[in-house]
């Protein structure tokens, strides 16, 4: 029996348990709902939970663990001389067996022991499937009878069900957190692996980025993995982006929240937010095909040498992309400044612009700083626009008309390509990723801290 | 300040008390919020250097009337005011009147203390700064000190002028707001239920302060507490459903009201 079928059976049993539990509760109370501690559906859910949860947990564990056990048994039953093969040859044999099991075509002669192993694996798997079906459905039945037997008017079914629901919620949030932890750990191990090949000081303080792809794999071809040019590119482009986004975003937020008529606001705000919904690759396209050549032509007409892919182009387009973040968040924060403060200022004879400059903005400033920091971390993580608009040359330059590149772009280019995974050329991507993660995490923590501090002031 | 003598006290007003001249004269004041008429033509004269209390049940229009006096209703969308309100003979709804200057003459204290999230000093200095009242730092310091002294707050805060105004207690915050209003030396101070968010001790302190301020300022106070109206005011106006029902000396209103509705309200039979 396949696991999908077992799952369907368990779910059907769960449904049936609900109905039975509900009926049974009513029956024990003699049809008087008031005599029950909880309302009848809670008794139904109680039995359904007992029937389904242990069985589903077992099913999940089985699906995860069973292939591993079967694999191990099959591998241990291979002839001794095969098991003594070097790892890469062994993995080839295992692949052949796997292909046989799945019925895929195999290349070349298939040794007898492999056929034997494949047959064993198939039979083991079939047995295990039946065992799983019996065990899981049996457990569901046991759970059902256990739950149903405990039904009595005094049973606090609602409390039990609600506690189970709480645990369900805890499990969901745990999954989100564990995923983050998993991502960090996987990056951390690969990064440590990388640092065993390239000393950390060369990575963090190196001024040259030259991973030497062509020489990868040969001896004495470590290449140079200096983080500084990439980090500078990231900072430089983000800086230009913020120079564009902060003034425009902030001033439009002030217009929207303080001056704009309600109907104007109802139209303009969603329109601005549409900017946030445009895929960044489209922005990159715009930068590549329109803005880059435009800047180059303007530069040429005033005698400046502007490269078609430049930090300026990427920064400006990224700034445009970020405008809605700044304006929308700032608008919310400015709106959160209590009307009573504005009234207080007007009542003293302040004009609207004086009120905005001297009361509203200072009151909203911490929140605005928080929103800008969130926008910065967004800019730092941006990749597509940079690839298309700023190029992939890692240069340490102060010239905004020159092409630069960022950390994220290099992560992509290091990981895509025909390279063996164990080379520093590939592993450096993890070190870059971890660095970027640490930087944006710190920025986000700081931004949230500021925003929270601001909230406490008025609640 | 020279007062312009205008027509005698409004029809519903009782005998004028003492020798105070009217500072604010309003005739046929109607207020509309969109289509809804919130005030149906109010004639009310407010005497100089007296405390005038506006009482009445919620939604009766007393706060609406108060907010007409410094044109705070301008801020409310869809609000329209008819009739005339004259302060010292100047029609404040005249096109030539600048609302900024009007509000410098008519200060306001709100129901909930609303100090700016700035230091105590900056809160008081705010008004003088925007109106350019002080010449130099020393004069500004003097204004801040005298305003805080008159608001009865100086002794409590003189060592922490650079601390945020929002860190004070509710009663202190409200006195800070009064100091802030005084700092631009207004002629009239409007108070919209200034004690409703305060405890009894802070309330008593503010009431004392109102009594002291009467020497220099014309005060109009909206209150829900009839005891407060009786304690602090010289004249009382009773509003009901957008009408000015009765207006006269406080002692007369509370001991010998002429109108049935006033009688019913002050004895607690409705409201």
């Amino acid at each position: 029996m396949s696991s999908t079928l077992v799952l369907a059976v368990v779910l059907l049993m769960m449904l049936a348990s609900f109905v039975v539990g509900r009926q049974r509760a009513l029956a024990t109370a003699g049809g008087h709902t008031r005599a029950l501690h909880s309302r009848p559906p809670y008794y139904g859910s109680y039995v359904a939970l007992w029937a389904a949860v242990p069985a589903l947990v077992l099913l999940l564990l089985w699906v995860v663990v069973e292939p591993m056990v079967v694999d191990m048994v099959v591998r241990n039953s291979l002839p001794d001389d095969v098991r003594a093969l070097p790892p890469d040859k062994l993995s080839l044999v295992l692949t052949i067996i796997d292909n046989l099991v799945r019925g895929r075509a195999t290349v070349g002669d298939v040794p007898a022991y492999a056929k034997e192993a494949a047959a064993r694996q198939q039979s083991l798997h079939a047995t295990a499937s039946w065992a799983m079906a019996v065990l899981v459905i049996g457990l569901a039945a046991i759970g059902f009878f256990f739950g149903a037997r405990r039904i009595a008017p005094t049973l606090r079914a609602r409390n039990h069900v609600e506690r189970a629901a709480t645990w369900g919620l805890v499990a969901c949030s745990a999954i989100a957190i564990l995923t983050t932890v998993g991502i960090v750990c996987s990056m951390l191990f690969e990064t440590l692996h990388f640092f065993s090949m390239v000393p950390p000081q060369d990575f963090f303080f190196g001024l040259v980025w030259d991973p030497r792809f062509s020489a990868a794999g040969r001896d004495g071809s470590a290449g140079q993995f200096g983080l500084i040019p990439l980090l500078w590119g990231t900072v430089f482009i983000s800086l230009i982006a913020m120079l564009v986004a902060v003034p425009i975003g902030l001033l439009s937020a002030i217009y929207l929240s303080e001056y704009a008529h309600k109907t104007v606001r109802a139209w303009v705000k969603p329109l601005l937010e549409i900017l946030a919904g445009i895929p960044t690759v489209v922005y990159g396209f715009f930068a590549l095909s329109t803005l880059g050549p435009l800047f180059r032509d303007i530069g040429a007409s005033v005698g400046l040498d502007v490269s078609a892919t430049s930090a300026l182009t990427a920064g400006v387009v990224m700034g445009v992309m970020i405008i809605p973040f700044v304006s929308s968040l700032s608008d919310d924060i400015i709106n959160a400044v209590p009307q009573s403060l504005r009234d207080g200022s007007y009542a003293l004879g302040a004009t609207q612009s004086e009120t905005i400059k001297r009361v509203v903005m200072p009151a909203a400033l911490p929140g605005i700083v928080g929103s800008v920091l969130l926008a910065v971390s967004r800019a730092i993580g941006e990749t597509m626009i940079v690839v298309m608009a700023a190029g992939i040359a890692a240069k340490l330059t102060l010239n905004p008309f020159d092409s630069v590149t960022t950390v994220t772009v290099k992560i992509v280019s290091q990981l895509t390509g025909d390279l063996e995974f164990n080379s520093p050329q590939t592993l450096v991507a993890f070190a870059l990723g971890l660095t970027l993660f640490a930087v944006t995490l710190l920025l986000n923590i700081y931004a949230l801290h500021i925003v929270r501090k601001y909230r406490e002031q008025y609640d | 300040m020279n007062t312009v003598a205008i027509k005698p006290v409004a029809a519903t007003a009782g005998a004028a008390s003492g020798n105070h001249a009217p500072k604010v004269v309003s005739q046929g004041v109607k207020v509309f919020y969109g289509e809804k008429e919130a005030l149906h033509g109010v004639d009310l004269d407010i005497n100089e250097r007296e405390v005038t209390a506006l009482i009445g049940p919620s939604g009766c229009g007393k706060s609406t009337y108060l907010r007409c006096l410094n044109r705070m209703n301008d801020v409310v969308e869809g609000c329209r005011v008819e009739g005339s309100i004259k302060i010292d003979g100047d029609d404040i709804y005249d096109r030539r009147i600048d609302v900024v200057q009007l509000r410098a003459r008519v200060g306001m204290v709100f129901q909930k203390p609303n100090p700016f999230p700035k230091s105590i000093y900056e809160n008081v200095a705010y008004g003088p700064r925007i109106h350019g009242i002080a010449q130099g730092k020393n004069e500004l310091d003097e204004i801040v000190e005298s305003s805080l002294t008159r608001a009865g707050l100086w002794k409590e805060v003189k060592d922490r002028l650079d601390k945020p105004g929002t860190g004070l207690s509710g009663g202190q915050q409200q006195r800070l707001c009064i100091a802030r209003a005084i700092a631009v030396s207004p002629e009239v101070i409007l108070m919209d239920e200034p004690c409703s968010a305060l405890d009894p001790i802070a309330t008593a302190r503010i009431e004392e302060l109102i009594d002291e301020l009467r020497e220099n300022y014309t005060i109009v106070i909206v209150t829900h507490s009839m005891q407060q109206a009786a304690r602090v005011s010289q004249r009382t106006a009773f509003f009901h459903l957008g009408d000015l029902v009765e207006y006269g000396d406080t002692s007369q209103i509370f001991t010998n009201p002429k109108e049935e509705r006033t009688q019913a309200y002050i004895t607690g039979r409705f409201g």
Side-chain angles (χ1 to χ4, degrees):
Chain A
M1 258 172 115
S2 79
S3 46
T4 322
L5 193 59
V6 174
L7 180 69
V9 170
V10 171
L11 290 180
L12 271 178
M13 286 174 76
M14 182 175 149
L15 214 65
S17 314
F18 178 83
V19 176
V20 172
R22 196 171 168 279
Q23 297 294 349
R24 208 177 134 81
L26 277 172
T28 54
H32 299 296
T33 321
R34 306 289 316 216
L36 294 167
H37 168 269
S38 313
R39 290 178 48 241
Y42 281 109
Y43 290 92
S45 308
Y46 177 78
V47 181
L49 282 171
W50 266 113
V53 173
L56 289 179
V57 170
L58 179 68
L59 179 63
L60 187 72
L61 282 178
W62 196 285
V63 168
V64 173
V65 173
E66 189 247 28
M68 290 198 248
V69 174
V70 169
D71 265 4
M72 209 167 70
V73 171
V74 169
R75 197 179 300 191
N76 283 341
S77 68
L78 287 173
D80 285 345
D81 57 327
V82 177
R83 278 159 64 194
L85 286 172
D88 48 340
K89 296 263 172 61
L90 183 64
S91 95
L92 191 67
V93 171
L94 290 176
T95 311
I96 292 173
I97 295 173
D98 192 47
N99 284 346
L100 283 173
V101 170
R102 286 163 197 269
R104 291 198 204 114
T106 49
V107 188
D109 291 335
V110 177
Y113 63 81
K115 282 182 181 162
E116 211 173 290
R120 192 177 300 121
Q121 180 155 359
Q122 268 170 327
S123 79
L124 272 175
H125 184 69
T127 322
S129 295
W130 278 109
M132 173 191 71
V134 170
L135 280 177
V136 169
I137 293 172
L139 191 60
I142 292 170
F144 164 71
F145 284 116
F146 180 76
R149 263 181 63 91
R150 291 190 55 179
I151 283 187
T154 51
L155 176 72
R156 303 187 164 198
R158 171 169 43 79
N159 307 31
H160 287 291
V161 170
E162 278 174 359
R163 200 172 311 133
T166 314
W167 281 109
L169 299 178
V170 170
C172 287
S173 49
I175 287 173
I177 293 168
L178 286 178
T179 314
T180 316
V181 172
I183 292 173
V184 173
C185 283
S186 79
M187 283 206 294
L188 195 63
F189 289 130
E190 300 298 345
T191 304
L192 290 177
H193 194 175
F194 169 74
F195 282 141
S196 69
M197 301 179 200
V198 175
Q201 65 269 24
D202 287 4
F203 174 69
F204 285 114
F205 304 111
L207 294 180
V208 179
W209 176 266
D210 179 17
R212 283 199 229 167
F213 272 114
S214 54
R218 276 184 243 143
D219 291 336
S221 66
Q224 283 176 284
F225 300 96
L227 173 69
I228 301 292
L230 304 185
L231 208 57
W232 167 245
T234 301
V235 170
F236 195 26
I237 291 180
S238 303
L239 206 68
I240 296 173
M242 295 329 281
L243 282 180
V244 173
V246 170
I248 296 180
L250 200 54
L251 293 177
S252 68
I254 291 174
Y255 167 72
L256 280 181
S257 59
E258 298 288 325
Y259 290 99
H261 193 265
K262 255 189 216 148
T263 49
V264 176
R265 188 184 143 89
W267 279 96
V268 173
K269 205 175 176 199
L271 279 178
L272 254 179
E273 278 163 2
I274 284 177
L275 275 181
I278 298 176
T280 56
V281 75
V282 175
Y283 280 107
F285 195 75
F286 170 68
L288 188 68
S289 63
T290 311
L291 209 61
L294 182 72
F295 282 169
R296 188 191 53 206
D297 295 346
I298 293 176
S301 68
V302 296
L304 274 173
D305 182 25
V306 182
S307 132
T309 53
S310 67
L312 184 69
T313 319
V316 168
V317 173
M318 204 192 275
V320 172
M321 178 196 86
I322 291 170
I323 287 172
F325 288 88
V326 177
S327 74
S328 191
L329 283 170
S330 304
D331 178 57
D332 291 343
I333 285 156
I334 293 172
N335 269 327
V337 173
Q339 182 62 31
S340 67
L341 289 184
R342 296 189 182 86
D343 284 347
S345 175
Y346 292 142
L348 286 167
T351 63
Q352 191 167 14
S353 65
E354 282 167 341
T355 303
I356 291 168
K357 267 184 293 189
R358 289 163 174 263
V359 175
V360 178
M361 290 320 276
L365 195 65
I368 289 171
V369 171
S371 78
V372 168
L373 285 179
L374 285 177
V376 170
S377 64
R378 169 94 203 188
I380 288 176
E382 178 49 41
T383 313
M384 229 39 234
I385 293 177
V386 185
V387 176
M388 297 171 85
I392 53 166
K395 281 187 213 162
L396 197 55
T397 173
L398 269 172
N399 179 5
F401 306 125
D402 210 344
S403 56
V404 295
T405 198
T406 63
V407 177
T408 49
V409 171
K410 281 301 160 195
I411 292 178
V412 174
S413 62
Q414 295 306 108
L415 279 178
T416 50
D418 271 340
L419 269 182
E420 72 173 303
F421 197 75
N422 268 341
S423 68
Q425 276 80 356
T426 308
L427 288 174
V428 70
F430 292 95
L432 291 174
L434 198 64
T435 313
L436 200 64
F437 178 78
V439 171
T440 43
L441 185 72
L442 288 178
L443 264 177
N444 277 344
I445 289 173
Y446 186 56
L448 286 177
H449 168 75
I450 287 178
V451 171
R452 197 167 302 153
K453 206 168 128 193
Y454 163 75
R455 279 207 186 116
E456 282 162 7
Q457 222 172 339
Y458 293 119
D459 283 352
Chain B
M1 195 64 49
N2 290 330
T3 51
V4 182
I6 315 194
K7 63 174 268 187
V9 283
T12 44
S17 72
N19 42 18
H20 292 289
K23 174 86 177 167
V24 181
V25 177
S26 42
Q27 285 174 300
V29 176
K30 291 184 178 181
V31 178
F32 301 85
Y33 290 118
E35 290 300 304
K36 193 176 155 278
E37 190 174 320
L39 273 187
H40 316 298
V42 171
D43 300 333
L44 184 66
D45 292 359
I46 291 161
N47 287 347
E48 191 166 21
R49 295 200 196 135
E50 274 189 356
V51 178
T52 303
L54 311 181
I55 60 169
S58 297
C60 67
K62 54 192 191 304
S63 286
T64 302
Y65 174 74
L66 189 79
R67 290 167 69 93
C68 289
L69 299 180
N70 67 343
R71 290 180 57 178
M72 279 302 277
N73 285 330
D74 290 12
V75 184
V76 181
E77 225 168 287
C79 181
R80 192 156 54 81
V81 179
E82 284 179 7
S84 91
I85 299 176
K86 290 182 177 168
I87 296 180
D88 291 339
D90 303 328
D91 186 346
I92 61 169
Y93 279 91
D94 192 288
R95 280 182 171 278
R96 282 166 299 179
I97 290 284
D98 183 11
V99 71
V100 165
Q101 282 161 351
L102 170 70
R103 288 180 188 154
R105 283 172 70 189
V106 184
M108 186 162 188
V109 177
F110 294 84
Q111 184 171 1
K112 224 179 120 203
N114 58 349
F116 301 132
K118 298 169 180 281
S119 70
I120 294 170
Y121 182 94
E122 286 300 323
N123 262 284
V124 182
Y126 182 80
R129 279 225 169 99
I130 58 175
H131 292 294
I133 289 173
Q135 313 285 330
K137 174 93 173 100
N138 288 338
E139 200 178 331
L140 194 60
D141 287 351
E142 276 168 33
I143 291 175
V144 170
E145 183 177 344
S146 70
S147 304
L148 283 169
T149 309
R150 274 200 252 174
L153 196 61
W154 176 250
K155 278 185 198 149
E156 292 160 58
V157 301
K158 65 171 188 280
D159 298 324
R160 45 175 178 151
L161 289 175
D162 54 343
K163 294 284 182 320
T166 42
L168 297 172
S169 75
Q172 288 174 324
Q173 287 190 12
Q174 196 61 299
R175 276 181 280 149
L176 178 63
C177 293
I178 293 174
R180 188 173 74 183
I182 294 174
V184 286
S185 34
E187 299 153 28
V188 182
I189 300 177
L190 310 177
M191 298 189 177
D192 190 357
E193 298 180 44
C195 301
S196 63
L198 305 181
D199 67 44
I201 294 170
T203 300
R205 189 76 194 74
I206 300 272
E207 286 179 5
E208 258 174 57
L209 177 60
I210 291 171
D211 206 46
E212 289 162 17
L213 292 173
R214 179 159 63 92
E215 285 194 16
N216 299 305
Y217 306 95
T218 304
I219 295 173
V220 187
I221 177 171
V222 165
T223 177
H224 269 294
S225 154
M226 278 170 282
Q227 290 85 343
Q228 184 170 64
R231 280 194 300 262
V232 301
S233 72
Q234 283 71 54
R235 310 264 292 166
T236 297
F238 171 62
F239 283 73
H240 187 225
L241 298 175
D243 286 312
L244 174 61
V245 177
E246 188 168 356
Y247 178 45
D249 285 354
T250 299
S251 53
Q252 176 251 315
I253 293 277
F254 281 98
T255 53
N256 186 22
K258 293 197 172 77
E259 295 281 329
E260 183 67 24
R261 277 191 284 175
T262 318
Q263 170 87 31
Y265 182 68
I266 61 171
T267 52
R269 266 183 275 145
F270 80 93

